[in-house]
Amino acid sequence: MTRHVVVTGASRGIGRAIAEAFVAAGDTVSTIYRGGDLPDGVTGAIADVTDSDAVNAAFDELEAQHGRVRVLVANAGVTRDGLLMRMSDDDFTSVIDVNLTGTFRCVRRAVQSMMREKYGRIVLIGSVVGLMGNPGQVNYSSSKSALVGMARSITREVGSRGITANVIAPGFITTAMTDALADDVIKRYEDSIPAKRFGGTDEVAAAAVYLGSDAAGYVSGAVLPVDGGLGMGH
Ligand code: NDP
């Protein structure tokens, strides 16, 4: 039987590439997403990760079709940038609600199934910014750095049950999120990256497939940077 892999937000960007890579690896792939078209071979259930009941119902729907989830890639994320002194409560809490609490909602539901299976691979999509910080992203970097604590607590809580939890910390990856950056900002970022370029979504997907694989069963609580060397030492 193939493994059931759930990737949140697989309609576009990094999530889409991750879903495609797991399909190519031979897994049964589904997504919890808000709408839009999906890659070939990926089943979708509509839910917003800020809604616990909708997340639970989406997992129920997908598991009824494909069996218990064995791999979760929590990818859904947003930015709402602004300088600290001008950042509203809503700017802060709305980003936390998607990136951190939304991830928690998905992980909580997935772990129920993984405990029964005595097998699980949890991959959280963090960010280099969660480790290095970034001006204008106090909300986003807080949400992403918290995923490291989450993965490590999950590891300590359920690591004896065949379940691993790790964080991928992508650097600047070419997607809609980075397309929004001005050309001079992109140039400045490229200059600071040892690889002198932004990454591709396929490069993050390859890391997710590894951490989601049987072969990575003894890797847990780790932060795997996919950032061209940008965050070295953090
Ligand atoms: P995109 O904006 O292209 O995609 C974000 C995805 O998250 C979309 O599928 C989006 O769905 C989904 N999403 C957002 N909010 C919600 C929600 N409330 N409920 C369900 N799904 C939601 O971004 P990327 O592909 O670039 O980013 C993917 C992940 O990688 C994010 O967690 C991001 O923080 C992280 N990352 C990205 C980097 C980059 O350089 N691009 C660098 C480091 C980390 P919808 O289409 O409905 O909006």
Side-chain angles (χ1 to χ4, degrees), residues 9 11-12 14 34 48-49 75 77 125-126 140 144 171 173 175 178:
S11 58
R12 58 195 171 95
I14 292 172
R34 294 193 298 186
D48 192 303
V49 299
N75 161 80
I125 305 300
Y140 182 77
K144 293 298 188 180
I173 308 297
T175 65
T178 49

Side-chain angles (χ1 to χ4, degrees), residues 8-16 18 31-36 47-51 55 74-79 94 97-99 102-103 125-129 140 143-144 147 168-179 181 198-199 201 204 226:
T8 64
S11 58
R12 58 195 171 95
I14 292 172
R16 188 178 184 95
I18 291 172
T31 185
I32 292 173
Y33 75 130
R34 294 193 298 186
D48 192 303
V49 299
T50 60
D51 179 341
V55 165
N75 161 80
V78 291
T79 51
S94 63
D97 200 21
V98 176
N99 297 6
T103 297
I125 305 300
S127 170
V128 68
V129 158
Y140 182 77
S143 73
K144 293 298 188 180
L147 298 180
I168 295 176
F172 293 100
I173 308 297
T174 304
T175 65
M177 201 175 260
T178 49
D179 284 349
L181 298 171
F198 279 22
T201 55
V204 181
V226 181

